[in-house]
Amino acid sequence: MGLFGNLFDKFKQGLQRTQELVLAPMQRLLGLRRLDEDQLLELEDLLLQADLGLHAVERLMERLRFEMKRNAEIDPKAVLKDELLKILRQVPSRPLEAKGTQVVLLVGVNGVGKTTTLGKLASHLKSRGEDVLVVAGDTFRAAAIDQLELWGERAGVPVIRNQMGGDPAAIAFDGATSAQAKGTPWVLIDTAGRLHTKDHLMRELDKIHRSLQKVIPEAPHRVILVMDATTGQNGLVQAEAFKAAAGITDLVLTKLDGSAKGGVVVPILERMKLPIAFVGVGEGVDDLIPFDPEAFVDGLLSA
Amino acid sequence: MFESLTEKLTKAMKSLRGETRLTEKNIEDALREVRMALLEADVHVQVARTFLQRVKEKALAQGPDGKGTVVLDGLNPAQQFIDIVYQELTEIMGGTAPEHPLDFASKPPTVVMMVGLQGAGKTTTCGKLAKFLKKLGRSPLLVPADIQRPAAVEQLHVVAQDAGVPSYRTDSKDPVAICKAAVEEARIKGWDTVILDTAGRLHLDEQLMNELVRIQEGTQPNEILFVADAMTGQDAVRSATAFHEKLGLTGVILTKTDGDTRGGAAFSIKHATGRPIKFVGEGEKLDDFQRFHPDRMAQRILGMGDVLTLIEQAKDKIDEKEAEAMAQKLVKNQFTLEDMRSQLQQVKKMGSMQKLIGMLPGMGQMKAQIESVVTDKRMTHLEAILNSMTPRERANHNLLDAKRKRRIAAGAGRPVHEINQLLKQFLEMKKMMGQMKDPRFMKRMAAMKNMPGMPKMPF
């Protein structure tokens, strides 16, 4: 027995060492039952690398220390998951339901994937058998309208446009009017990428709002902030600025198929109580999927 | 957020005023604050750690006897430490900045390959770079090699048109073939710089990364530039490293720096790849494109603009001897227009008036008022007027009659009444300085001398 016991221990030890070497550092730490000060610091660094930001990481570390005070052994992964899910589930996402004519406006800084997201969203709604009208509101970036028209073709939905450099508020107005007259359930409006620090461009969003409301008083029903998963702590400032200027109602997190895990949405959701409607995971038409908090947290904690 | 950081630091450091050397203990708080600043700015955790460790070691061993940097007069240890951090950050980011913006081939065409993730801004940046090169007298050709994103080719053609440069037209759908053919065409037709706009791709996508390698092999680019979004978070290290390992980058272009991001990604990328940041894109227009300034970026990342400015001023700028001579003159009431001019130049050396006023303690409410009177533009005008006088006139203001004033006005390009205004100001100053002999006044001045930002500024 003694021999076997010994062997068994050795085996276990060996396995542990292998695990330490083979497993990603985060996995190794989360597999422990108690963490010493050095290990806590290491974990803190790893969480910061997920773009969670200083504040949220502090909150997570506090919770861990609290649990370790109360219990002899803890499951760090379960603790972190619980705390993160608390933040992510504060506001459940609302499904897109056709009721009369629903106007959806997509906003965000340059290069996050607004046009691509809109294309995917149009396909998704169309495949549910609901009619969609797409409005090419990005009249600034060269060839943005052409890009959107190609997506329209793919999805089999009409795209209305005016010329480059035209007034996005005017074309939004036309779109809403036409959709309402025809009883089209969805109007998806693309807008030009704009940095949240450019006041004149942010005011343009307000103008789009007002012109939509002349047609449908409740419009836009959804204002979706599209955010790139590689975004760092500036995401928080972005979200606040777009909330103030355009009254965003939902987030879409794009490019989650990369190595960035989009951790910045945690501080955003913590502060702003917004739901995440979808996440983008590729360039294909079907690569827009509903947000699954649990899978998202697993991604964050698997680095 | 920046204010609170600076305030916190100032508060934490108050007790340390008067300490003459940097020690492990008196930089503790500064270290923590700088680390937080770096992380808030999205500098990668590991990069921040390595960097701070190095700066700390250096700071503690840098004194004349290797026992810790000497703290400059007027600074506290924390500020001294932040200064070292700032210098080091600037140094690492700029380091060996090459003299020429790009490595041009000795035998044209020079091939520049633009690579990066989706949405970093490659296509727009191609246009900006082309326009930049055109201004240098080169003749660039833009090549659309992004056949992934819908309408990307069309976008590049439009951008090329806006930049006033040609773009390569083809029906081919093979990026490698397009790039090779375009370089060949440039050789024949005499375009001296070929800019390849490749499709945005994830560094995880093996297949697309291999496509880049094939383009590289087929065109032998002189420059492979990684285009990176300044707002990128911690992932910047991973993506930049992956591109660098696969292709051997030669430089980096940072885009979207016109937002309010602190841009720590720039430092992470530089640290991870060791490649220079060559340009920054800073706006919607094709002209919003500049060569990279490491000092500006370092200030931005640290987000401690006012602390850094304060340090800068304490460090030198005001010539001690000149100030001493001035003080002598003041007491003897020999203040001349010449002295006024040299004072004006001293103040100008200290930086813009707006910034200066903003830093004076207790000037908050008065700021707007003062600014309306003492603008930088006005300073420039005053100087122009003084410069248009002859040395004799500056030595003796009584010489200035109507005829001389008209000549000066013409020389400075300012109306005559501004010259009268300046004279009036000068006489008031002179009068005020006459009062300085009054011992009560000198006592008040002595008290003011201890206020930061105030010393040796008689007006």
Side-chain angles (χ1 to χ4, degrees):
Chain A
M1 191 60 210
L3 179 69
F4 276 111
N6 247 336
L7 262 179
F8 189 64
D9 280 343
K10 275 248 168 73
F11 179 65
K12 230 167 69 173
Q13 265 174 21
L15 198 66
Q16 217 163 26
R17 213 168 296 137
T18 324
Q19 265 179 351
E20 275 175 27
L21 287 172
V22 171
L23 286 179
M26 182 89 95
Q27 294 318 299
R28 175 174 52 81
L29 291 170
L30 294 182
L32 299 171
R33 288 296 157 258
R34 268 203 96 72
L35 289 90
D36 62 28
E37 219 26 63
D38 283 346
Q39 287 162 333
L40 282 171
L41 280 180
E42 197 185 341
L43 183 60
E44 185 182 309
D45 273 10
L46 290 167
L47 291 171
L48 283 167
Q49 281 178 43
D51 289 317
L52 292 166
L54 282 166
H55 178 77
V57 169
E58 212 166 277
R59 173 171 168 173
L60 292 171
M61 297 312 289
E62 251 167 47
R63 172 80 193 274
L64 265 185
R65 286 177 204 273
F66 173 79
E67 294 292 336
M68 283 206 298
K69 241 177 242 165
R70 278 198 340 180
N71 308 298
E73 286 200 340
I74 60 161
D75 178 353
K77 186 162 185 174
V79 171
L80 293 180
K81 217 170 152 172
D82 180 65
E83 195 66 24
L84 285 165
L85 285 174
K86 251 195 249 169
I87 298 169
L88 295 173
R89 282 186 174 144
Q90 277 183 116
V91 184
S93 65
R94 292 179 299 148
L96 292 172
E97 278 169 24
K99 268 183 292 181
T101 295
Q102 296 271 312
V103 180
V104 182
L105 189 65
L106 278 85
V107 300
V109 300
N110 316 61
V112 290
K114 282 177 297 300
T115 306
T116 305
T117 300
L118 192 143
K120 294 177 190 171
L121 196 55
S123 296
H124 170 73
L125 294 168
K126 185 73 186 172
S127 69
R128 294 203 317 210
E130 294 161 22
D131 278 341
V132 179
L133 176 66
V134 168
V135 176
D138 181 355
T139 56
F140 183 82
R141 181 166 57 91
I145 297 176
D146 306 272
Q147 185 182 349
L148 197 63
E149 282 191 327
L150 285 168
W151 274 106
E153 263 169 49
R154 279 188 203 174
V157 302
V159 176
I160 73 161
R161 54 174 290 177
N162 56 11
Q163 77 288 9
M164 282 302 296
D167 181 358
I171 188 77
F173 180 89
D174 290 350
T177 311
S178 149
Q180 206 182 30
K182 290 184 195 150
T184 310
W186 295 104
V187 182
L188 307 184
I189 304 175
D190 191 21
T191 63
R194 65 201 74 219
L195 288 182
H196 51 287
T197 47
K198 309 255 153 131
D199 279 341
H200 62 291
L201 293 177
M202 293 305 269
R203 278 200 299 275
E204 187 185 88
L205 290 178
D206 189 51
K207 191 177 171 196
I208 295 176
H209 261 246
R210 280 181 281 126
S211 72
L212 286 171
Q213 280 161 359
K214 282 183 198 148
V215 189
I216 306 169
E218 305 84 50
H221 302 82
R222 297 285 186 98
V223 182
I224 296 178
L225 176 67
V226 183
M227 190 170 287
D228 183 330
T230 59
T231 311
Q233 297 310 300
N234 192 245
L236 196 54
V237 196
Q238 278 174 34
E240 285 188 333
F242 276 101
K243 172 106 185 170
I248 50 174
T249 61
D250 298 83
L251 277 180
V252 164
L253 193 60
T254 59
K255 311 186 196 175
L256 259 185
D257 47 333
S259 55
K261 299 299 172 214
V264 72
V265 298
V266 172
I268 292 176
L269 265 51
E270 185 182 22
R271 187 167 326 166
M272 301 182 50
K273 321 264 184 282
L274 285 168
I276 299 178
F278 294 98
V279 296
V281 292
E283 288 179 323
V285 172
D286 299 325
D287 294 330
L288 186 72
I289 57 177
F291 176 65
D292 174 353
E294 208 149 328
F296 179 77
V297 170
D298 283 337
L300 281 180
L301 297 179
S302 72
Chain B
M1 190 175 285
F2 300 166
E3 273 79 11
S4 73
L5 197 66
T6 307
E7 275 166 23
K8 255 193 288 177
L9 200 61
T10 315
K11 218 183 284 167
M13 294 310 129
K14 265 224 172 94
S15 58
L16 298 172
R17 233 173 252 282
E19 294 197 25
T20 55
R21 287 298 189 91
L22 291 191
T23 64
E24 183 114 25
K25 195 164 175 303
N26 66 20
I27 61 170
E28 206 174 284
D29 288 322
L31 251 177
R32 198 168 40 242
E33 296 293 342
V34 174
R35 175 175 180 266
M36 272 174 67
L38 294 177
L39 292 177
E40 296 269 9
D42 291 318
V43 172
H44 191 268
V45 185
Q46 301 291 332
V47 174
R49 182 175 301 272
T50 319
F51 169 70
L52 282 178
Q53 186 58 35
R54 236 187 52 197
V55 179
K56 183 180 158 188
E57 276 163 20
K58 206 170 158 184
L60 293 181
Q62 208 175 36
D65 46 4
K67 279 192 208 147
T69 306
V70 176
V71 179
L72 283 180
D73 249 5
L75 291 186
N76 64 40
Q79 290 168 333
Q80 184 74 56
F81 180 68
I82 290 170
D83 182 46
I84 299 174
V85 170
Y86 168 62
Q87 302 298 343
E88 196 72 14
L89 197 59
T90 310
E91 176 65 29
I92 292 181
M93 270 197 305
T96 50
E99 188 191 340
H100 296 290
L102 293 176
D103 180 18
F104 295 114
S106 50
K107 220 176 103 203
T110 300
V111 178
V112 182
M113 184 173 166
M114 309 283 262
V115 301
L117 301 174
Q118 291 99 334
K122 281 177 298 303
T123 307
T124 305
T125 304
C126 282
K128 289 181 174 183
L129 181 62
K131 192 155 188 201
F132 178 89
L133 292 172
K134 202 181 155 203
K135 280 191 215 153
L136 287 187
R138 302 192 68 92
S139 48
L141 173 71
L142 286 178
V143 182
D146 179 358
I147 51 134
Q148 296 278 325
R149 182 164 55 92
V153 173
E154 190 48 40
Q155 185 184 349
L156 190 76
H157 288 320
V158 176
V159 162
Q161 205 176 359
D162 289 348
V165 302
S167 51
Y168 183 71
R169 300 207 174 241
T170 170
D171 292 328
S172 170
K173 291 279 173 263
D174 173 7
V176 184
I178 293 172
C179 292
K180 276 188 181 165
V183 172
E184 201 41 49
E185 178 156 313
R187 208 185 309 279
I188 295 164
K189 294 197 175 163
W191 304 112
D192 61 15
T193 316
V194 184
I195 302 173
L196 309 175
D197 181 27
T198 68
R201 64 201 74 213
L202 287 170
H203 48 285
L204 305 176
D205 190 329
E206 197 67 26
Q207 206 184 334
L208 283 177
M209 289 302 277
N210 286 333
E211 180 191 278
L212 286 182
V213 174
R214 289 205 305 281
I215 294 177
Q216 180 186 17
E217 285 165 356
T219 61
Q220 298 295 319
N222 306 79
E223 293 272 3
I224 303 179
L225 301 178
F226 182 63
V227 181
D229 185 329
M231 293 178 281
T232 313
Q234 300 279 318
D235 195 52
V237 164
R238 263 174 299 216
S239 52
T241 308
F243 273 92
H244 186 47
E245 279 172 358
K246 197 80 184 176
L247 299 164
L249 304 173
T250 61
V252 179
I253 299 182
L254 205 62
T255 61
K256 307 181 207 172
T257 60
D258 46 329
D260 54 2
T261 180
R262 299 255 299 275
F267 184 51
S268 300
I269 293 171
K270 168 79 210 220
H271 201 280
T273 64
R275 289 296 177 252
I277 299 165
K278 299 204 163 188
F279 299 97
V280 291
E282 47 189 17
E284 309 265 351
K285 293 189 208 69
L286 287 180
D287 286 317
D288 299 329
F289 189 71
Q290 279 201 22
R291 291 192 70 177
F292 176 69
H293 296 285
D295 48 342
R296 285 187 212 165
M297 203 64 215
Q299 281 183 24
R300 186 170 177 160
I301 290 174
L302 285 176
M304 298 172 169
D306 39 358
V307 176
L308 293 170
T309 320
L310 212 72
I311 292 168
E312 194 61 18
Q313 279 162 13
K315 271 167 75 179
D316 58 351
K317 299 290 171 174
I318 297 270
D319 187 326
E320 289 284 340
K321 265 189 199 150
E322 219 171 300
E324 188 58 39
M326 181 70 70
Q328 285 302 318
K329 280 187 176 174
L330 288 182
V331 175
K332 291 186 196 152
N333 202 10
Q334 289 171 341
F335 187 65
T336 65
L337 285 165
E338 188 69 60
D339 301 324
M340 188 176 180
R341 183 171 78 141
S342 75
Q343 286 209 355
L344 212 62
Q345 283 161 347
Q346 293 272 7
V347 173
K348 254 179 81 172
K349 264 197 260 175
M350 290 178 77
S352 95
M353 273 317 272
Q354 254 91 342
K355 261 198 295 183
L356 210 63
I357 292 166
M359 280 180 329
L360 298 181
M363 289 289 204
Q365 296 89 351
M366 288 164 64
K367 205 177 157 195
Q369 280 173 311
I370 296 177
E371 272 172 2
S372 65
V373 188
V374 196
T375 59
D376 288 324
K377 214 172 177 175
R378 191 160 152 64
M379 298 274 290
T380 313
H381 292 166
L382 288 178
E383 210 190 340
I385 293 172
L386 287 164
N387 284 341
S388 298
M389 296 176 184
T390 65
R392 262 187 72 211
E393 284 164 351
R394 283 196 291 267
N396 181 6
H397 64 277
N398 292 319
L399 285 175
L400 293 170
D401 55 17
K403 200 176 154 202
R404 282 178 189 264
K405 281 181 194 166
R406 272 200 303 277
R407 192 206 76 238
I408 293 162
R414 305 304 308 166
V416 173
H417 72 83
E418 281 194 18
I419 295 162
N420 289 328
Q421 243 172 32
L422 180 140
L423 271 176
K424 208 174 133 201
Q425 268 182 329
F426 166 73
L427 289 172
E428 270 168 18
M429 277 169 80
K430 200 169 156 72
K431 194 175 139 205
M432 191 184 90
M433 284 161 189
Q435 294 170 350
M436 283 187 172
K437 278 183 279 189
D438 185 339
R440 272 173 307 174
F441 187 88
M442 286 313 278
K443 221 167 150 189
R444 273 214 306 276
M445 280 303 281
M448 275 175 84
K449 236 185 130 174
N450 293 329
M451 285 162 69
M454 278 302 278
K456 303 154 198 156
M457 265 185 65
F459 70 116

